[in-house]
Amino acid sequence: SNTATSFSYKTPSVGNTMTITSRANNPAVGDVFASKTGISPNATNVALTLPEASALSLPITAATGITTATPFNWTAFSGGVHIAFFSGGGRQYHVITQANSTTIPDFSAEGLGLPAATNFSWQVVGMAPFASVDAATGPTGPLTDLFKTAVFSLTPEGDGSYMVSLTRTFTTAP
């Protein structure tokens, strides 16, 4: 834990390279992380930049009357994609987008519509760098198998950054 913008730490010499990961927390917004890999032990002048975390905008906490037409908005996470998570009433919806706004998908035709008068929570995760949603989720993208596994991990692989917003609650329309 360090609040300085420049620091020096001794590291053990246990291999040829190491990874540095930094985390910042804004209690009003959430957490942001950045990682740099391939660092030689005793390296100097290693730069690691933490981007701004996405802040949830609308709907406000404890909003009511939410439908699949209600927009969910947040500030953009620079250079990457967003994953909006919606969870409640035994349902989970995930939307991967480069936009900073989405709606809950309408799966009522498949019998998986948004349950009425149900408490939900929502949160946004940002991951970078990705040039597009296809780069993140396509055949060779790192998010391809993410939702197929039982364990969801936000451990960064390689150089990059990610953020986790605060969680807000809402209630669906009656």
Side-chain angles (χ1 to χ4, degrees):
S1 179
N2 191 330
T3 58
T5 58
S6 179
F7 58 88
S8 176
Y9 289 111
K10 291 202 179 278
T11 61
S13 185
V14 294
N16 295 329
T17 63
M18 61 185 183
T19 299
I20 296 175
T21 300
S22 183
R23 171 186 171 253
N25 172 266
N26 179 335
V29 176
D31 294 316
V32 64
F33 302 81
S35 290
K36 190 162 197 74
T37 60
I39 308 296
S40 298
N42 297 319
T44 59
N45 298 318
V46 176
L48 191 61
T49 303
L50 285 163
E52 290 290 323
S54 296
L56 303 180
S57 304
L58 293 171
I60 61 171
T61 299
T64 59
I66 302 298
T67 70
T68 56
T70 303
F72 287 78
N73 303 307
W74 57 90
T75 58
F77 187 61
S78 181
V81 297
H82 306 98
I83 308 167
F85 292 90
F86 304 95
S87 181
R91 305 262 168 88
Q92 291 186 359
Y93 304 93
H94 305 149
V95 178
I96 302 174
T97 180
Q98 278 188 288
N100 60 327
S101 180
T102 193
T103 57
I104 299 172
D106 185 356
F107 291 117
S108 55
E110 290 80 13
L112 298 170
L114 194 60
T118 302
N119 294 325
F120 267 77
S121 64
W122 74 288
Q123 178 178 48
V124 173
V125 170
M127 301 180 88
F130 292 113
S132 67
V133 170
D134 288 344
T137 62
T140 59
L143 298 183
T144 302
D145 294 322
L146 183 65
F147 297 108
K148 295 178 186 175
T149 62
V151 178
F152 178 73
S153 173
L154 289 176
T155 303
E157 295 181 14
D159 295 353
S161 57
Y162 68 95
M163 57 74 48
V164 180
S165 76
L166 298 179
T167 301
R168 285 193 178 169
T169 60
F170 64 90
T171 304
T172 57

